[in-house]
Amino acid sequence: MASDDIALLAEALSKTHVGYGELSYKGQGLKLDNTESVKELVREIEEYQGLRALRLEGNTVGVEAAQAIAKALECKDQLQSCHWSDMFTGRLRSEIPTALRSLGSALMTAGARLRELDLSDNAFGPDGIKGIETLLKSSACHSLQELRLNNCGMGIGGGKILAAALTECHEQSSALGAPLKLKVFQAGRNRLENEGATALALAFQLMGSLEEVHMPQNGINHAGVTALATAMQHNPHLRILNLNDNTFTKRGALAMAQALRHLRTVQVINFGDCLVRSEGAIALSAVLREGLPTLKELNLSFGEITEAAALVLAQAVQDKPHMEKLDLNGNCLGEEGCEALKETMDNMDRADILASLSDDEGEPDEEEDEEVEDEENGKEMKEKGVKDDRESPVKLEPTCHPEILSFLSSLTAETLLKLGDNRTGLIQQHVDVSDPDKVADAFLRISSLYSDDHEVKKAVLETIDILLKKAFSGSSLQTYSFLSTLLVMLGLLKGEGKVKKVQVLPGHLLVLEHAVQQDYFPQDHATLLDTFVARHGKALKSCSHARDSLKSTLERRISPEC
């Protein structure tokens, strides 16, 4: 070893932090190639009694040097924390698994019980995960609480290997009566994509102990997001969920909203740059209304959310006492929308929690092409041979009453009246009110029959009341989703998927006006509806009289003193 290298190591060792069981060579920039180069470092490790944490990040360690360090660790049975991020800079990718196996083997030989393992920023790919696979399966990791693997280039293959290793670790530790209880998982920038994320989701669901999950920038779309959402429901102590820069779209956002309904300890949600969009934002607003009591931060920046949906979100955080930050920057509010949002937050005395809106994208172009997701979904379903039923009419049970079938197929006032006094019971029984899309479709079909004829008007309103009363007995998420779909079909909200706009008739709006005055229609839902009608009323210009009547009724409903 050159004399200047020895001098550099000596200087680094002189700066080594020693205390509280920690030996740190963090950020020393040491080039550790062979046994000679780590001679003094190894001596420090061997002489350190009660070593609990070893920091090697910010250096570069070769295979021979790693083997020498590993030898020194074989008797360190109290070691709990390995901070080994960014320690293979400049090394051949083929070297890294060998180095990792040596270090992992030493920990197992020592009988260590790890609590923290950080191998972030090592870019070792799936082969690197193979290098720690045996360690992760061993008893040394039965006690693991924090695993950090950011920016390691794992890919789908590495994600699957990691998931399998964690699953085996949990199974073996459970058999011994002390199951793995991983609390913190970080794996950002790893190109996990749907398959890797789905594999890990199964492991997360099995463990059920996670408190922090950080998986930003992994190329995950709605399928992987949905799998993760299902897993999160089984981790009741989750506090931080960071999926920044993945692609939710409507389906992923709805799945995640459904999961969040079941979680009571979440403090930080980062879904920034995830294409949550307006429908997803409305779904999350419903969850904010009925849950997430400890939420402190919500990041939905750069998600193509429009003004009205942003205002609905703002209204939903009004009664969140712990809320410290709402980030809606980089969305599609437009200049007036930004001002309206600021005014709304100010009127609620919550202006201090609203993040900057300096990067707002402006109002969306109404002539934009169909969403890319439509094409992707269609292609995916075609490849899988799945029938696309998103445009199907009202979902009916197989034993549907023949007169119901006749009514739904012919859609006339005569067929509605022909059902007689049993019509409300029959429709309530056979229309699937758990599906918001089907309820919205049924609402529009039935309300289109509205007329001044007393019998017909009475039949339509009674039928709608029964339908919506049952639908609104569900969760806020379900009913917000119904309103979201209804807004899309009325042309008041740009939607995803194949839900198409209908030709708006006065009956649609007049029946809706009736519904918002009923006890089953919650006031916050009326506020949501008013927000969109007030801002996008021009879409209803063909029924201006009915529109204006609806607007007046909504204003009276949300502000009774007016």
Side-chain angles (χ1 to χ4, degrees):
M1 184 177 185
S3 58
D4 56 344
D5 288 337
I6 295 174
L8 183 63
L9 178 57
E11 181 183 359
L13 290 172
S14 70
K15 298 177 181 177
T16 299
H17 169 69
V18 180
Y20 304 106
E22 179 181 282
L23 192 56
S24 175
Y25 305 93
K26 180 179 179 179
Q28 301 296 335
L30 301 174
K31 191 170 186 296
L32 307 173
D33 296 323
N34 49 41
T35 303
E36 181 66 20
S37 68
V38 293
K39 185 176 180 180
E40 292 300 318
L41 188 153
V42 165
R43 181 183 62 79
E44 291 275 348
I45 293 174
E46 290 175 340
E47 293 179 358
Y48 198 113
Q49 299 301 310
L51 181 64
R52 293 179 180 275
L54 178 61
R55 309 195 75 106
L56 295 175
E57 65 264 55
N59 300 290
T60 177
V61 182
V63 172
E64 189 178 327
Q67 291 170 340
I69 294 171
K71 187 68 177 175
L73 292 175
E74 288 182 353
C75 60
K76 300 300 176 182
D77 61 337
Q78 296 183 52
L79 187 62
Q80 296 179 348
S81 300
C82 296
H83 302 278
W84 296 347
S85 64
D86 188 23
M87 69 173 203
F88 295 113
T89 301
R91 301 294 171 181
L92 294 176
R93 193 162 173 173
S94 58
E95 293 181 78
I96 300 175
T98 303
L100 290 172
R101 287 190 186 96
S102 298
L103 293 166
S105 178
L107 297 175
M108 292 184 285
T109 299
R113 293 293 182 267
L114 294 184
R115 294 171 66 88
E116 297 178 75
L117 178 60
D118 186 354
L119 288 166
S120 299
D121 301 316
N122 279 311
F124 45 47
D127 288 341
I129 298 299
K130 291 178 182 177
I132 60 170
E133 182 180 9
T134 302
L135 170 64
L136 290 173
K137 293 177 179 179
S138 75
S139 59
C141 286
H142 286 183
S143 53
L144 193 64
Q145 294 185 8
E146 301 182 19
L147 179 60
R148 294 180 171 85
L149 295 165
N150 289 314
N151 193 30
C152 288
M154 278 192 277
I156 294 171
K160 289 182 175 180
I161 295 168
L162 176 60
L166 290 173
T167 299
E168 184 170 331
C169 182
H170 183 271
E171 290 174 348
Q172 292 187 5
S173 59
S174 296
L176 297 174
L180 170 66
K181 293 184 178 180
L182 192 66
K183 294 181 178 180
V184 177
F185 180 82
Q186 295 185 358
R189 299 181 63 192
N190 270 292
R191 304 192 308 276
L192 292 169
E193 300 182 16
N194 287 338
E195 290 184 62
T198 299
L200 285 166
L202 294 174
F204 296 163
Q205 183 170 330
L206 182 67
M207 291 186 290
S209 56
L210 288 167
E211 297 180 9
E212 296 184 25
V213 175
H214 304 262
M215 297 176 66
Q217 203 173 340
N218 269 295
I220 306 169
N221 65 31
H222 67 83
V225 171
T226 298
L228 289 170
T230 300
M232 293 306 104
Q233 292 187 49
H234 296 270
N235 287 267
H237 303 297
L238 188 70
R239 293 184 298 105
I240 300 175
L241 181 57
N242 176 7
L243 296 176
N244 188 282
D245 200 8
N246 289 292
T247 306
F248 281 37
T249 59
K250 177 183 176 180
R251 284 192 280 176
L254 289 177
M256 196 56 71
Q258 180 64 38
L260 291 171
R261 287 185 60 230
H262 302 277
L263 301 174
R264 308 293 294 176
T265 61
V266 176
Q267 297 178 5
V268 178
I269 295 173
N270 186 345
F271 296 160
D273 205 10
C274 283
L275 287 184
V276 168
R277 296 188 174 131
S278 295
E279 289 179 278
I282 292 172
L284 291 170
S285 298
V287 180
L288 287 165
R289 289 279 188 181
E290 66 178 0
L292 298 173
T294 62
L295 189 65
K296 293 182 178 180
E297 296 184 20
L298 175 61
N299 183 347
L300 295 177
S301 59
F302 299 94
E304 295 189 2
I305 298 169
T306 55
E307 175 193 355
L311 292 174
V312 171
L313 270 169
Q315 293 155 1
V317 303
Q318 180 176 6
D319 297 322
K320 287 283 173 278
H322 305 290
M323 199 74 176
E324 298 173 358
K325 184 177 182 180
L326 174 63
D327 192 346
L328 294 173
N329 194 23
N331 281 296
C332 303
L333 311 185
E335 186 175 344
E336 292 183 4
C338 288
E339 291 303 315
L341 179 59
K342 291 175 183 177
E343 182 180 351
T344 297
M345 297 298 289
D346 190 47
N347 290 340
M348 298 188 304
D349 198 26
R350 303 305 301 272
D352 58 317
I353 70 171
L354 183 63
S356 168
L357 299 173
S358 59
D359 296 317
D360 187 73
E361 296 285 344
E363 294 182 59
D365 182 359
E366 293 183 2
E367 300 302 322
E368 286 179 0
D369 295 330
E370 290 294 318
E371 304 292 352
V372 174
E373 189 205 23
D374 292 346
E375 299 176 8
E376 292 176 347
N377 291 343
K379 181 179 179 182
E380 178 183 335
M381 299 179 84
K382 185 175 181 180
E383 289 175 350
K384 293 181 179 180
V386 178
K387 182 180 178 181
D388 187 353
D389 64 352
R390 286 175 290 174
E391 280 191 299
S392 62
V394 182
K395 183 178 179 181
L396 303 171
E397 299 298 328
T399 56
C400 187
H401 195 287
E403 290 182 338
I404 289 281
L405 288 172
S406 173
F407 159 65
L408 292 171
S409 60
S410 59
L411 290 174
T412 67
E414 182 181 356
T415 54
L416 178 62
L417 293 173
K418 194 173 180 180
L419 292 176
D421 293 337
N422 292 326
R423 60 178 167 268
T424 54
L426 289 170
I427 290 179
Q428 179 183 222
Q429 180 181 353
H430 294 292
V431 176
D432 181 9
V433 296
S434 67
D435 187 329
D437 291 357
K438 306 304 182 185
V439 177
D441 185 68
F443 176 89
L444 291 173
R445 287 170 180 263
I446 297 168
S447 61
S448 68
L449 305 179
Y450 183 90
S451 77
D452 290 331
D453 180 274
H454 176 72
E455 267 195 89
V456 174
K457 180 191 296 187
K458 183 174 181 288
V460 167
L461 295 181
E462 285 180 352
T463 305
I464 288 294
D465 282 341
I466 293 297
L467 177 69
L468 293 190
K469 188 173 183 179
K470 185 176 181 181
F472 276 86
S473 67
S475 67
S476 289
L477 176 57
Q478 181 176 313
T479 52
Y480 266 53
S481 295
F482 154 66
L483 285 182
S484 179
T485 301
L486 188 62
L487 290 168
V488 171
M489 297 178 81
L490 291 174
L492 296 171
L493 171 64
K494 183 175 181 180
E496 296 179 12
K498 294 190 175 182
V499 176
K500 300 299 183 183
K501 291 187 289 186
V502 299
Q503 180 181 351
V504 182
L505 302 173
H508 294 144
L509 306 184
L510 293 172
V511 172
L512 190 55
E513 180 183 1
H514 163 82
V516 301
Q517 298 177 76
Q518 307 310 306
D519 290 340
Y520 60 72
F521 205 102
Q523 182 160 328
D524 61 291
H525 290 56
T527 301
L528 185 160
L529 194 57
D530 177 66
T531 299
F532 278 88
V533 172
R535 280 158 182 80
H536 302 290
K538 61 183 180 181
L540 307 175
K541 61 184 179 182
S542 62
C543 305
S544 58
H545 179 73
R547 176 198 63 192
D548 294 343
S549 183
L550 172 61
K551 287 174 66 175
S552 297
T553 299
L554 285 168
E555 289 168 3
R556 289 195 300 272
R557 175 68 199 279
I558 63 179
S559 302
E561 69 278 3
C562 295

